[in-house]
């Protein structure tokens, strides 16, 4: 049911060119949820090595052992931060185009320190503790949930993406809404509405276009659909014909693609007949482990938001772990300190 909405989020940043997109997000706290996100990512990476490994060279395998490079691009162990996006958009923080030397080379402009510090001051002026208290809770709970209740499936595979849905609640929604209200004035204008949004069925088409124009993202307000991305594999999604154009563009224009040599040109489509199936197999394995743990009690149920962070967006709507620009701690609720 939530599938089309979830899909929209992650394609958006990738379709929009070379400017730097920033993600205001909840980093998963150390604990049960993060453990299972890493576990899902590891299973996907392992499965993608097994499935496609034969084609890559030994030098490309310098990753961690003699195994071939995984085609799974998300690496929650060293490159990317497991997170829940609250607001991701193309903010106008770069130096002006005029100050760039007169060439047409593609690539992101450097950030303008003045604009960035105003942006950071704006986020810092938000009292996150107060927002959480205003929703009637002392803390903001985060938990995985199954959007497919009868079969207890705690993951979604959609195109290139594998995601773990997070249960929506008033606290998460209010955090996202509030950040949006504070930060929307920093958006780059005019906002480019990606063509695929125009192809959504009504009524989501009109409302998504509206949210894009107004907020730079369709995945805010009623489009907010929290999740943790654990996989992004554009090669695999090529089998899903309707997405092909978007995926090609997302690979071409993704803000950070330091593995171009391992990109589309190397794909051998006849090897990839089971592209979707290997991911389903890996995630079913994950789901089984998670579900077993859940059924043994109140498992993974007591986690809360510990802080909000700002970072740069990498492939597949991921957040690059080494680009964190700020972190705002949310302590224990008042009265909870000893
Ligand atoms: C940086 O931003 C400030 C404030 O908007 C502006 O006055 C200044 O000209 C910008 N500098 C560059 C190099 O774009
Ligand atoms: C944020 O709000 C909480 C709860 O209302 C309050 O106790 C705290 O002093 C506020 N922090 C700042 C920096 O204003
Ligand atoms: C692609 O895979 C098929 C089947 O494994 C193989 O016959 C073919 O030679 C491969 N093509 C390339 C360009 O690697």
């Amino acid at each position: 049911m939530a599938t089309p909405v979830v899909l929209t989020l992650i394609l958006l940043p990738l379709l929009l060119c070379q400017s730097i997109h920033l993600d205001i997000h909840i980093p998963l706290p150390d604990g049960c949820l993060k453990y299972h996100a890493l576990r899902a990512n590891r299973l996907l990476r392992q499965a993608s090595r097994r499935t496609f490994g034969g084609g890559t060279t030994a030098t490309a395998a310098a990753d961690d052992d003699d195994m071939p490079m995984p085609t799974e691009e998300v690496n929650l162990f060293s490159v990317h931060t497991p997170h829940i996006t609250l607001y991701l958009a193309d903010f106008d923080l770069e130096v002006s185009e005029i100050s760039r030397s007169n060439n047409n080379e593609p690539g992101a402009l450097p950030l303008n320190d003045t604009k960035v510090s105003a942006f950071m001051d704006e986020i810092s002026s938000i009292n996150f503790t107060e927002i959480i208290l205003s929703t009637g809770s002392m803390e903001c709970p985060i938990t995985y949930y199954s959007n497919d209740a009868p079969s207890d499936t705690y993951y979604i595979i959609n195109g290139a993406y594998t995601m773990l849905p997070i249960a929506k609640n008033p606290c998460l929604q209010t955090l996202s809404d509030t950040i949006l209200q504070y930060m929307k004035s920093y958006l780059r204008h005019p906002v480019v509405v990606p063509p695929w949004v125009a192809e959504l069925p009504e009524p989501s088409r009109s409302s998504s276009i509206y949210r894009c124009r107004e907020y730079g993202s369709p995945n805010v307000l009623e489009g907010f659909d929290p999740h943790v991305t654990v996989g992004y594999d554009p090669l695999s999604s090529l089998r899903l014909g309707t997405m092909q154009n978007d995926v090609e563009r997302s690979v071409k224009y993704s803000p950070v693609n330091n593995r171009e040599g391992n990109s589309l040109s190397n794909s051998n489509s006849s090897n990839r007949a089971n592209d979707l199936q290997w991911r389903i197999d890996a995630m079913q394995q994950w789901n089984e482990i998670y579900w077993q743990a859940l059924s043994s009690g109140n498992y993974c149920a007591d986690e809360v938001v510990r802080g909000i962070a700002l970072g740069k967006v990498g492939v597949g709507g991921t957040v690059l772990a080494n680009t964190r620009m700020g972190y705002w701690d949310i302590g224990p609720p008042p009265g909870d300190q000893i």
Side-chain angles (χ1 to χ4, degrees):
M1 98 223 165
T3 303
V5 183
V6 169
L7 179 64
T8 55
L9 171 144
I10 336 194
L11 288 178
L12 174 70
L14 300 170
L15 295 178
L16 301 178
C17 68
Q18 293 123 357
S19 51
I20 298 168
H21 289 70
L22 299 183
D23 191 323
I24 303 171
H25 60 274
I26 299 163
L28 285 189
D30 289 333
C32 190
L33 297 175
K34 185 171 176 178
Y35 170 79
H36 284 282
L38 292 174
R39 179 165 219 159
N41 181 237
R42 175 169 287 265
L43 285 167
L44 287 169
R45 289 176 66 77
Q46 284 171 345
S48 76
R49 287 178 197 264
R50 278 199 302 273
T51 309
F52 305 123
T56 43
T57 63
T59 45
D63 204 24
D64 48 18
D65 53 25
D66 283 344
M67 294 285 286
M69 284 291 278
T71 60
E72 171 51 65
E73 296 200 16
V74 174
N75 183 346
L76 298 181
F77 292 85
S78 56
V79 183
H80 304 114
T81 300
H83 72 281
I84 303 162
T85 293
L86 295 171
Y87 186 27
L88 184 167
D90 180 11
F91 298 105
D92 178 17
L93 300 176
E94 287 93 346
V95 298
S96 57
E97 189 75 37
I98 297 115
S99 64
R100 181 218 278 267
S101 59
N102 190 20
N103 62 41
N104 289 324
E105 266 180 45
L109 291 163
L111 293 174
N112 176 330
D113 292 341
T114 314
K115 291 179 182 176
V116 171
S117 67
F119 183 88
M120 298 292 284
D121 288 350
E122 190 79 42
I123 304 186
S124 303
S125 74
I126 307 174
N127 184 333
F128 292 111
T129 306
E130 193 164 70
I131 293 166
I132 291 171
L133 291 174
S134 79
T135 66
S137 4
M138 297 298 273
E139 297 187 302
C140 201
I142 42 178
T143 178
Y144 293 140
Y145 93 115
S146 164
N147 72 335
D148 188 12
S151 59
D152 290 316
T153 301
Y154 287 84
Y155 67 90
I156 294 176
I157 296 176
N158 202 333
Y161 302 94
T162 305
M163 295 161 279
L164 309 180
I166 295 282
K168 221 182 206 184
N169 61 46
C171 188
L172 291 175
Q173 181 81 54
T174 305
L175 277 178
S176 175
D177 293 354
T178 307
I179 290 168
L180 178 70
Q181 294 309 327
Y182 275 81
M183 306 317 296
K184 66 179 180 187
S185 62
Y186 292 85
L187 277 182
R188 181 186 315 284
H189 288 288
V191 173
V192 181
V193 179
W196 58 266
V197 171
E199 283 158 27
L200 292 172
E202 292 292 359
S204 42
R205 177 177 176 274
S206 301
S207 55
S208 294
I209 290 174
Y210 174 80
R211 291 194 300 273
C212 269
R213 293 226 168 99
E214 210 56 22
Y215 308 109
S217 165
N219 295 86
V220 294
L221 302 176
E222 68 272 26
F224 177 60
D225 220 334
H227 62 270
V228 178
T229 297
V230 293
Y232 172 73
D233 190 337
L235 295 180
S236 299
S237 70
L238 292 181
R239 303 300 298 181
L240 306 176
T242 56
M243 288 195 54
Q244 184 150 349
N245 288 340
D246 283 350
V247 169
E248 281 173 356
R249 295 173 52 170
S250 68
V251 169
K252 195 167 167 197
Y253 292 119
S254 59
V256 176
N257 186 357
N258 52 10
R259 289 181 46 198
E260 255 159 71
N262 199 26
S263 198
L264 287 176
S265 54
N266 278 3
S267 73
N268 182 339
S269 53
S270 53
N271 275 344
R272 301 182 181 281
N274 296 318
D275 284 347
L276 193 54
Q277 193 55 47
W278 68 263
R279 287 189 294 164
I280 293 172
D281 290 347
M283 289 309 292
Q284 273 303 120
Q285 196 185 337
W286 174 86
N287 202 68
E288 189 63 25
I289 296 164
Y290 184 67
W291 192 86
Q292 288 290 339
L294 272 190
S295 55
S296 69
N298 204 23
Y299 189 73
C300 257
D302 54 357
E303 300 210 11
V304 298
V305 177
R306 292 287 177 214
I308 307 286
L310 173 70
K312 292 182 188 170
V313 173
V315 291
T318 55
V319 170
L320 293 162
N322 64 358
T323 64
R324 181 174 283 185
M325 296 164 71
Y327 181 81
W328 294 267
D329 195 41
I330 298 173
D336 212 33
Q337 297 97 331
I338 300 165

